[in-house]
Amino acid sequence: SYELTQPPSVSVSPGQTARIACSADALPKQYASWYQQKPGQAPVVVIYKDNERPSGIPERFSGSSLGTTATLTISGVQAEDEADYYCQSADSSGTYVIFGGGTRLTVL
Amino acid sequence: QVQLQESGPGLVKPSETLSLTCTVSGYSISSGYYWGWIRQTPGKGLEWIGSMYHSGRTNYNPSLKSRVAISVDTSKNQLSLKLTSVTAADTAIYYCTRLAYVVLVPAWFDTWGQGTLVTVSS
């Protein structure tokens, strides 16, 4: 089965830059999106189409995709950014939705 | 502002059918986008269940396809989920979602409901 691979956890200090990677063979052909989920809340899209940021999402959130890896970058991390982050894409055929396993971002 | 609200039983018995409804406000289902469901087992990740266009075109997760049916009622601006023969493994938070496509490929979920917990237990 097709999978998106993310690290289980990432830790950074406030003000530093956090980078969360998402890897899959089909990423060169498919867009990646990223979702932030805080405890007890529904996920919220923070990046779509690899690097587009929805209105209302702070500029410190950015995305990129190169080859088989998509990356979510959070510059100047704040305590409020502590959350689970999920990448999402489509399988190689462009038919089915796939999610990564999620990355817990801890702000030290 | 588009809002999605899930409703349905919070407890379902094993082997029975899970049925949920999502009421959409602030946007007409008939205007576009795909509409569907995602679930999240407690303490774990997200699993896409399936999505449907108002015209009737559906797309299901292959791992659930044999048990899932998603339908849309444009007159009520609602969508529904039915999952048959449930087991404890189907216990999860179920989210109603709006899915954007780009060039016929599912791209991103721009709107989510708050989610509803469904427990499968006798």
Side-chain angles (χ1 to χ4, degrees):
Chain A
S1 64
Y2 183 71
E3 296 181 346
L4 295 173
T5 301
Q6 300 179 234
S9 62
V10 169
S11 299
V12 295
S13 298
Q16 289 189 330
T17 296
R19 294 182 179 85
I20 301 173
C22 173
S23 300
D25 289 343
L27 282 177
K29 296 191 297 183
Q30 310 297 357
Y31 284 123
S33 299
W34 292 90
Y35 302 85
Q36 176 193 67
Q37 185 179 33
K38 296 182 178 179
Q41 299 183 16
V44 173
V45 60
V46 293
I47 294 292
Y48 66 98
K49 288 176 67 178
D50 291 343
N51 55 22
E52 300 284 340
R53 190 174 57 249
S55 61
I57 301 301
E59 291 184 5
R60 63 181 181 273
F61 288 87
S62 63
S64 62
S65 188
L66 183 63
T68 58
T69 300
T71 302
L72 172 68
T73 300
I74 310 172
S75 304
V77 166
Q78 300 182 7
E80 66 195 51
D81 299 330
E82 187 164 279
D84 293 328
Y85 290 86
Y86 294 91
C87 63
Q88 172 258 312
S89 186
D91 71 321
S92 55
S93 71
T95 304
Y96 305 116
V97 172
I98 305 292
F99 282 97
T103 298
R104 175 149 298 176
L105 175 66
T106 299
V107 181
L108 301 171
Chain B
Q1 180 184 1
V2 185
Q3 291 186 316
L4 311 179
Q5 180 65 57
E6 304 90 348
S7 59
L11 181 64
V12 181
K13 290 182 169 55
S15 79
E16 295 190 344
T17 296
L18 180 160
S19 297
L20 295 175
T21 298
C22 174
T23 300
V24 180
S25 58
Y27 190 88
S28 171
I29 287 178
S30 301
S31 295
Y33 288 91
Y34 275 68
W35 304 84
W37 300 87
I38 288 169
R39 70 182 183 179
Q40 184 171 32
T41 50
K44 294 193 177 180
L46 301 168
E47 180 179 31
W48 171 68
I49 298 172
S51 302
M52 181 174 187
Y53 196 63
H54 66 82
S55 63
R57 183 171 186 265
T58 55
N59 192 8
Y60 296 130
N61 186 324
S63 68
L64 296 170
K65 186 175 183 177
S66 63
R67 299 193 292 129
V68 172
I70 294 175
S71 59
V72 169
D73 186 336
T74 55
S75 67
K76 295 181 179 179
N77 220 34
Q78 292 178 332
L79 62 153
S80 298
L81 168 70
K82 291 191 185 302
L83 180 65
T84 62
S85 303
V86 297
T87 69
D90 295 308
T91 293
I93 298 172
Y94 286 77
Y95 294 101
C96 176
T97 58
R98 188 173 80 167
L99 170 63
Y101 269 59
V102 176
V103 194
L104 303 180
V105 176
W108 75 97
F109 298 92
D110 70 344
T111 309
W112 299 62
Q114 65 183 22
T116 186
L117 175 62
V118 179
T119 301
V120 178
S121 175
S122 55

